[in-house]
Amino acid sequence: MSKPFVYGTSVEGDLFTDRELETERLRLNFENGINSAYVQQLAWNIFAMTQHEVDEEAFAAGLEATIAQAAPLFVEQVSGLSTFQLNFIRALCHGFRRDFTKREVTSRFNLGTRSNLPKLLSALTDRELIDTTEEGTTLADPLFELWFKQNMM
């Protein structure tokens, strides 16, 4: 890796940050669907907290900072949701992607009647909180999913 360019100067010795692990993590997050703006924000948060080598602790701290920065948006997004809508998001966070009409899912997560499910899907899709594809239904924002698991489950 060539010497990094930081604020117009070349960084060497104790001031050099090994970015290989961080770069790999950021790449994996990007490939797994995290919004590119989040990847940039995450990278900035990690760099701001790291003076030397990036390790698991620095990555975790950077991720927590990124979640905290987005938290006000996420609070706003869930503030108007019904109990059934929140429960549907909980089902997604538990890994359910399809077959929401099955008794196991509707009773475990209290999703209401089976006839209510199309309304739930429509409302959450309209709010751009979920995406539905051939593979199933997922949360549209992976960072939102992390925040939701930490704060709403």
Side-chain angles (χ1 to χ4, degrees):
M1 178 166 144
S2 63
K3 295 177 182 177
F5 187 75
V6 179
Y7 300 109
T9 61
S10 191
V11 179
E12 298 182 49
D14 291 338
L15 298 176
F16 181 77
T17 300
D18 180 358
R19 297 179 174 153
E20 289 180 34
L21 175 61
E22 178 190 10
T23 302
E24 177 64 17
R25 290 290 192 127
L26 292 172
R27 184 187 61 75
L28 289 172
N29 283 332
F30 182 75
E31 288 174 357
N32 290 321
I34 290 187
N35 182 299
S36 61
Y38 290 144
V39 172
Q40 183 179 14
Q41 188 174 358
L42 176 61
W44 188 91
N45 284 328
I46 293 171
F47 283 145
M49 295 178 184
T50 304
Q51 292 185 14
H52 299 290
E53 186 174 330
V54 175
D55 56 13
E56 293 293 328
E57 186 178 316
F59 184 83
L63 183 59
E64 286 305 312
T66 305
I67 292 170
Q69 291 163 349
L73 169 65
F74 299 151
V75 169
E76 182 182 328
Q77 288 177 321
V78 300
S79 65
L81 298 180
S82 71
T83 300
F84 293 130
Q85 291 167 336
L86 292 170
N87 289 344
F88 188 86
I89 293 172
R90 287 183 182 99
L92 293 174
C93 287
H94 277 279
F96 290 93
R97 299 288 177 250
R98 59 180 74 245
D99 301 325
F100 299 108
T101 57
K102 287 187 175 179
R103 173 174 257 158
E104 170 196 358
V105 180
T106 57
S107 62
R108 179 176 173 189
F109 294 101
N110 188 23
L111 298 178
T113 63
R114 291 179 185 179
S115 63
N116 190 43
L117 287 171
K119 294 175 191 171
L120 288 176
L121 285 167
S122 177
L124 294 172
T125 300
D126 290 348
R127 290 176 179 240
E128 298 180 353
L129 292 174
I130 64 171
D131 289 324
T132 302
T133 64
E134 291 179 7
E135 286 120 29
T137 302
T138 58
L139 288 167
D141 184 339
L143 196 66
F144 172 80
E145 183 172 354
L146 292 173
W147 174 85
F148 195 91
K149 286 177 178 178
Q150 290 177 353
N151 294 282
M152 302 294 290
M153 295 185 68

